[in-house]
mmCIF file of all heavy atoms in Angstrom:
data_model
loop_
_atom_site.group_PDB
_atom_site.id
_atom_site.type_symbol
_atom_site.label_atom_id
_atom_site.label_comp_id
_atom_site.label_asym_id
_atom_site.label_seq_id
_atom_site.Cartn_x
_atom_site.Cartn_y
_atom_site.Cartn_z
ATOM 1 N N THR A 611 87.388 114.172 96.239
ATOM 2 C CA THR A 611 88.645 113.611 96.729
ATOM 3 C C THR A 611 89.667 114.707 96.982
ATOM 4 O O THR A 611 90.503 114.599 97.885
ATOM 5 C CB THR A 611 89.198 112.561 95.738
ATOM 6 O OG1 THR A 611 88.182 111.608 95.435
ATOM 7 C CG2 THR A 611 90.392 111.826 96.337
ATOM 8 N N LYS A 612 89.600 115.794 96.225
ATOM 9 C CA LYS A 612 90.473 116.939 96.499
ATOM 10 C C LYS A 612 90.215 117.492 97.895
ATOM 11 O O LYS A 612 91.150 117.813 98.636
ATOM 12 C CB LYS A 612 90.251 118.044 95.461
ATOM 13 C CG LYS A 612 90.843 117.776 94.093
ATOM 14 C CD LYS A 612 90.542 118.928 93.144
ATOM 15 C CE LYS A 612 91.119 118.648 91.756
ATOM 16 N NZ LYS A 612 90.780 119.733 90.791
ATOM 17 N N VAL A 613 88.935 117.599 98.252
ATOM 18 C CA VAL A 613 88.585 118.107 99.580
ATOM 19 C C VAL A 613 89.147 117.192 100.659
ATOM 20 O O VAL A 613 89.715 117.641 101.657
ATOM 21 C CB VAL A 613 87.050 118.237 99.715
ATOM 22 C CG1 VAL A 613 86.659 118.561 101.155
ATOM 23 C CG2 VAL A 613 86.518 119.299 98.761
ATOM 24 N N TRP A 614 88.995 115.873 100.450
ATOM 25 C CA TRP A 614 89.529 114.907 101.419
ATOM 26 C C TRP A 614 91.046 115.038 101.501
ATOM 27 O O TRP A 614 91.620 115.049 102.604
ATOM 28 C CB TRP A 614 89.151 113.479 101.020
ATOM 29 C CG TRP A 614 89.797 112.463 101.910
ATOM 30 C CD1 TRP A 614 89.329 111.994 103.101
ATOM 31 C CD2 TRP A 614 91.089 111.856 101.714
ATOM 32 N NE1 TRP A 614 90.235 111.126 103.661
ATOM 33 C CE2 TRP A 614 91.317 111.027 102.831
ATOM 34 C CE3 TRP A 614 92.053 111.927 100.717
ATOM 35 C CZ2 TRP A 614 92.491 110.269 102.970
ATOM 36 C CZ3 TRP A 614 93.222 111.187 100.846
ATOM 37 C CH2 TRP A 614 93.424 110.360 101.961
ATOM 38 N N LEU A 615 91.723 115.124 100.354
ATOM 39 C CA LEU A 615 93.182 115.180 100.338
ATOM 40 C C LEU A 615 93.682 116.430 101.048
ATOM 41 O O LEU A 615 94.666 116.370 101.804
ATOM 42 C CB LEU A 615 93.702 115.149 98.895
ATOM 43 C CG LEU A 615 95.221 115.096 98.749
ATOM 44 C CD1 LEU A 615 95.752 113.739 99.194
ATOM 45 C CD2 LEU A 615 95.644 115.376 97.306
ATOM 46 N N ASP A 616 93.033 117.558 100.834
ATOM 47 C CA ASP A 616 93.445 118.793 101.500
ATOM 48 C C ASP A 616 93.403 118.626 103.015
ATOM 49 O O ASP A 616 94.318 119.065 103.729
ATOM 50 C CB ASP A 616 92.541 119.951 101.079
ATOM 51 C CG ASP A 616 92.764 120.379 99.630
ATOM 52 O OD1 ASP A 616 93.791 119.984 99.051
ATOM 53 O OD2 ASP A 616 91.889 121.078 99.079
ATOM 54 N N ALA A 617 92.348 117.982 103.506
ATOM 55 C CA ALA A 617 92.227 117.776 104.949
ATOM 56 C C ALA A 617 93.251 116.763 105.458
ATOM 57 O O ALA A 617 93.829 116.928 106.540
ATOM 58 C CB ALA A 617 90.813 117.308 105.291
ATOM 59 N N ALA A 618 93.501 115.710 104.680
ATOM 60 C CA ALA A 618 94.390 114.631 105.117
ATOM 61 C C ALA A 618 95.856 115.025 105.098
ATOM 62 O O ALA A 618 96.672 114.398 105.771
ATOM 63 C CB ALA A 618 94.187 113.395 104.240
ATOM 64 N N THR A 619 96.192 116.058 104.320
ATOM 65 C CA THR A 619 97.607 116.436 104.163
ATOM 66 C C THR A 619 97.906 117.827 104.705
ATOM 67 O O THR A 619 98.950 118.398 104.398
ATOM 68 C CB THR A 619 98.021 116.368 102.683
ATOM 69 O OG1 THR A 619 97.187 117.272 101.925
ATOM 70 C CG2 THR A 619 97.876 114.964 102.131
ATOM 71 N N GLY A 620 97.008 118.361 105.492
ATOM 72 C CA GLY A 620 97.258 119.674 106.066
ATOM 73 C C GLY A 620 98.469 119.658 106.983
ATOM 74 O O GLY A 620 98.877 118.608 107.482
ATOM 75 N N PRO A 621 99.073 120.815 107.217
ATOM 76 C CA PRO A 621 100.287 120.866 108.048
ATOM 77 C C PRO A 621 100.024 120.361 109.466
ATOM 78 O O PRO A 621 98.970 120.622 110.056
ATOM 79 C CB PRO A 621 100.646 122.354 108.051
ATOM 80 C CG PRO A 621 99.968 122.919 106.850
ATOM 81 C CD PRO A 621 98.703 122.131 106.686
ATOM 82 N N LEU A 622 101.003 119.636 109.979
ATOM 83 C CA LEU A 622 100.968 119.177 111.368
ATOM 84 C C LEU A 622 101.631 120.245 112.221
ATOM 85 O O LEU A 622 102.761 120.651 111.950
ATOM 86 C CB LEU A 622 101.713 117.855 111.488
ATOM 87 C CG LEU A 622 101.572 117.064 112.782
ATOM 88 C CD1 LEU A 622 100.154 116.506 112.908
ATOM 89 C CD2 LEU A 622 102.580 115.924 112.817
ATOM 90 N N ALA A 623 100.937 120.704 113.223
ATOM 91 C CA ALA A 623 101.480 121.801 114.034
ATOM 92 C C ALA A 623 102.727 121.331 114.767
ATOM 93 O O ALA A 623 102.802 120.192 115.207
ATOM 94 C CB ALA A 623 100.433 122.271 115.030
#
Side-chain angles (χ1 to χ4, degrees):
T611 308
K612 285 179 181 177
V613 171
W614 174 86
L615 184 70
D616 289 345
T619 60
L622 192 69

